[in-house]
Amino acid sequence: MKSKTTLLITTVLLLSVGSKLLAQAKLGDNPTHVNPNVLLELESSDKGLLIPRMTTAQRDDAFTTNIPNGLMIYNTTEDCLQVYRDSSGSWSCLGG
């Protein structure tokens, strides 16, 4: 019995590690079908995506150096979705 339990635990651990190496995940209504071309897929017919929300001051305190290009936040001071653009070294509002 101990041997079967050890084998089961080892198998689960190997599968867990193996699945993390794929680096692909899906959350949502149909988690069994993952598009092979995406890293992360969110699917829902009645829920949305909520990204971090902060003021301009909080943003500037949190991100001072090594800001990755494309980092996104919702800026509550500016009331807009912002993305960091490394080429200009600044934050830009998306949309209107």
Side-chain angles (χ1 to χ4, degrees):
M1 184 68 168
K2 184 177 180 182
S3 176
K4 287 183 180 182
T5 303
T6 303
L7 179 60
L8 177 62
I9 291 171
T10 302
T11 302
V12 168
L13 288 173
L14 287 174
L15 289 173
S16 296
V17 169
S19 68
K20 290 187 187 295
L21 293 176
L22 294 176
Q24 208 175 14
K26 180 173 182 178
L27 301 173
D29 296 338
N30 184 9
T32 58
H33 178 265
V34 180
N35 185 317
N37 296 318
V38 300
L39 178 64
L40 173 64
E41 182 177 353
L42 305 175
E43 178 184 2
S44 176
S45 59
D46 63 349
K47 292 177 181 58
L49 171 67
L50 185 61
I51 67 167
R53 297 152 295 170
M54 58 188 75
T55 65
T56 299
Q58 290 169 322
R59 180 203 67 195
D60 292 344
D61 285 343
F63 307 111
T64 56
T65 60
N66 300 322
I67 306 169
N69 193 34
L71 181 66
M72 294 176 69
I73 64 142
Y74 184 82
N75 186 319
T76 57
T77 304
E78 299 292 324
D79 196 24
C80 72
L81 186 64
Q82 288 189 319
V83 63
Y84 184 78
R85 295 194 172 144
D86 194 34
S87 59
S88 63
S90 64
W91 292 89
S92 299
C93 285
L94 299 178

